[in-house]
């Protein structure tokens, strides 16, 4: 017997919340039961049920979107717990926040980390204990610009180079900060692979909606580091639940443009 959208959605939501009775049903049943039904049927019965993106990637993308928007701490807290429930580690969640620093700014990330702490940290027991990911060692000095430039060219390539070339005349220091901090400090950190970092970045840039040139660069970057077109499309579709359809439509049109450019130039884009 074929399961209904609601039944599929309930199973997926139960997996994320790690419960047999999702809290959203009780929370909305006396106010807007239809809203709860839509969340379960569409959000979890259709979007989360799609192939092409793992539950771990979906939860990290959701955390990135909610952190970038900065307007839904309750939902962010829910999805931080959900990420742990589907197999993400606490270190990965914190690393995903650090990945957002260059794209959402320090205040948004500080707020996101505060929610992580409030969600999981028991001051009295000190249960939140992780070994932070770090690229810094006392024994080995680093050439941040050299390492950053290598990462920049590997990830963003020609698409990113066009933007930095346009900035050199007006603000060479900004270009230097992009190379050294964004790529020499953040992108080369351990803890997340490059495809996951680009899922997080594309999700956040899609959600904020005002950085189309940068979104285009990181769509290229997603494909440059080995992400598939299917993963990219699923990441964009996933944002529709949390950032709205206009944001997802804009990103999908940008993806279409990027794939066309790569096809014309002979660059590969995995199906």
């Amino acid at each position: 017997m074929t399961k209904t959208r609601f039944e599929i959605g309930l199973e997926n939501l139960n997996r994320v919340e790690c419960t047999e009775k999702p809290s959203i049903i009780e929370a909305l049943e006396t106010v807007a039961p239809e809203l709860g039904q839509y969340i379960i049927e569409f959000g979890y019965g259709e979007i989360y049920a799609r192939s092409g993106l793992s539950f771990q990637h979906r939860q990290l993308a959701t955390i990135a979107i909610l952190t970038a928007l900065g307007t839904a701490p309750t939902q962010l807290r829910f999805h931080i717990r959900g990420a742990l429930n589907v197999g993400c580690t606490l270190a990965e969640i914190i690393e995903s926040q650090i990945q957002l620093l260059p794209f959402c700014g320090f205040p948004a990330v500080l707020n996101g980390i505060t929610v992580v702490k409030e969600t999981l940290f028991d001051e009295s027991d000190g249960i939140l204990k992780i070994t932070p990911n770090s690229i810094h060692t006392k024994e080995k000095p680093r050439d941040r610009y050299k390492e950053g430039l290598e990462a920049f060219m590997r990830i963003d390539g020609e698409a990113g180079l066009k933007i930095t070339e346009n900035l050199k005349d007006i603000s060479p220091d900004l270009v230097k900060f992009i190379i050294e901090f964004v790529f020499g400090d953040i992108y080369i950190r351990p803890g997340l692979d490059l495809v996951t970092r680009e899922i997080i970045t594309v999700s956040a840039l899609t959600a904020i909606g005002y950085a189309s040139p940068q979104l285009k660069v990181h769509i290229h970057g997603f494909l440059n580091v080995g992400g598939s077109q299917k993963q990219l499309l699923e990441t964009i579709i996933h944002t529709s639940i949390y950032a709205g359809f206009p944001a997802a439509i804009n990103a999908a049109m940008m993806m279409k443009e990027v794939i066309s450019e790569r096809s014309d130039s002979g660059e590969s884009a995995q199906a």
Side-chain angles (χ1 to χ4, degrees):
M1 184 176 178
T2 304
K3 292 181 180 178
T4 66
R5 289 187 305 148
F6 189 86
E7 290 171 333
I8 295 170
L10 202 57
E11 287 180 0
N12 288 333
L13 179 52
N14 287 346
R15 181 178 173 187
V16 171
E17 193 171 0
C18 202
T19 181
E20 293 184 0
K21 186 177 181 181
S23 56
I24 195 69
I25 295 177
E26 184 176 351
L28 294 175
E29 64 183 357
T30 60
V31 181
E34 295 91 348
L35 177 57
Q37 182 176 342
Y38 291 148
I39 290 170
I40 293 171
E41 286 185 347
F42 179 69
Y44 291 91
E46 292 192 57
I47 302 300
Y48 269 81
R50 293 172 61 88
S51 62
L53 209 60
S54 69
F55 265 58
Q56 290 92 336
H57 277 154
R58 288 189 183 278
Q59 285 307 107
L60 291 177
T62 302
I63 290 170
I65 295 163
L66 295 175
T67 300
L69 293 174
T71 55
T74 300
Q75 288 71 33
L76 178 56
R77 187 174 294 110
F78 176 90
H79 286 285
I80 289 167
R81 291 193 180 279
L84 293 170
N85 291 338
V86 300
C88 296
T89 67
L90 181 53
E92 287 173 331
I93 293 169
I94 292 175
E95 193 62 37
S96 73
Q97 292 286 314
I98 292 173
Q99 174 66 19
L100 294 174
L101 280 172
F103 307 103
C104 303
F106 281 80
V109 172
L110 286 171
N111 289 342
I113 287 291
T114 297
V115 176
V116 173
K117 183 177 178 180
E118 290 172 350
T119 305
L120 303 169
F121 190 76
D122 185 326
E123 295 275 358
S124 61
D125 294 334
I127 59 173
L128 180 59
K129 293 180 180 178
I130 67 166
T131 301
N133 297 313
S134 179
I135 58 173
H136 304 293
T137 65
K138 294 180 180 179
E139 297 79 15
K140 184 181 178 183
R142 299 174 54 239
D143 186 335
R144 294 168 65 227
Y145 190 88
K146 180 182 178 182
E147 291 182 21
L149 187 60
E150 290 173 355
F152 172 73
M153 292 306 300
R154 183 170 72 253
I155 297 163
D156 284 354
E158 291 299 320
L161 196 59
K162 290 177 183 177
I163 289 182
T164 54
E165 288 295 327
N166 287 334
L167 287 173
K168 278 185 177 179
D169 290 342
I170 189 171
S171 183
D173 284 345
L174 181 56
V175 174
K176 180 174 179 286
F177 293 150
I178 291 170
I179 299 298
E180 290 185 345
F181 179 66
V182 180
F183 292 92
D185 285 344
I186 303 300
Y187 263 92
I188 69 169
R189 288 172 58 85
L192 293 174
D193 60 54
L194 288 177
V195 171
T196 302
R197 289 188 183 277
E198 287 302 283
I199 287 173
I200 290 163
T201 302
V202 168
S203 297
L205 291 175
T206 298
I208 59 179
Y210 54 71
S212 294
Q214 290 72 29
L215 174 58
K216 183 175 181 179
V217 166
H218 285 281
I219 288 174
H220 274 291
F222 191 110
L223 298 170
N224 289 341
V225 300
S228 69
Q229 288 186 39
K230 184 172 180 60
Q231 284 177 306
L232 177 57
L233 181 58
E234 286 305 318
T235 299
I236 291 170
I237 290 173
H238 188 83
T239 64
S240 66
I241 318 174
Y242 303 101
F245 279 89
I249 290 168
N250 290 340
M253 296 304 294
M254 190 69 66
M255 175 182 171
K256 181 179 179 180
E257 185 177 328
V258 166
I259 290 172
S260 176
E261 288 178 3
R262 293 173 75 91
S263 177
D264 291 343
S265 67
E267 289 184 86
S268 63
Q270 299 179 52

